Amino acid sequence: QVQLVESGGGLVQPGGSLRLSCAASGNIFGISNMGWYRQAPGKERESVATITTHSSTNYADSVKGRFTISRDNAKNTVYLQMNGLKPEDTAVYYCNSRMVVGLGAEYWGQGTQVTVSS
């Protein structure tokens, strides 16, 4: 069964850094595009960053220059390095996987809380 498990969330001060990790099981990582999404209280879930099977990346305008998404296929893990964090980055961050073959099955992690506050 496919499972995505996020880790690395927590409380950080404005201007600080945090590194999120998402470990995937189920032997689907190598054929899946990966992404990080976030949802703040009272707001809709939004895409933060995505990375394809061949490591092409895309970022939301709000995080460009501050966040970096990467993947390690040998470890079946995708990362999100977050620098220069702002209070508006506070949200639950979710890992997403979408297969590029077959029916394009999509999977979600349970989320990890990121709180930026002094």
Side-chain angles (χ1 to χ4, degrees), residues 54-75:
H54 48 278
S55 296
S56 177
T57 60
N58 194 37
Y59 298 91
D61 289 340
S62 60
V63 306
K64 286 182 179 178
R66 299 189 297 121
F67 292 9
T68 302
I69 187 172
S70 61
R71 64 191 295 162
D72 187 336
N73 290 345
K75 296 182 178 180

Side-chain angles (χ1 to χ4, degrees), residues 1-71:
Q1 182 178 0
V2 174
Q3 185 176 22
L4 305 178
V5 181
E6 302 100 333
S7 63
L11 175 64
V12 65
Q13 296 188 87
S17 298
L18 212 56
R19 181 180 173 88
L20 305 183
S21 298
C22 173
S25 63
N27 197 34
I28 53 87
F29 193 84
I31 55 174
S32 298
N33 291 335
M34 306 296 296
W36 286 98
Y37 294 72
R38 67 186 181 188
Q39 186 167 26
K43 297 183 178 181
E44 297 182 356
R45 186 173 298 187
E46 63 176 348
S47 176
V48 176
T50 59
I51 184 167
T52 67
T53 55
H54 48 278
S55 296
S56 177
T57 60
N58 194 37
Y59 298 91
D61 289 340
S62 60
V63 306
K64 286 182 179 178
R66 299 189 297 121
F67 292 9
T68 302
I69 187 172
S70 61
R71 64 191 295 162

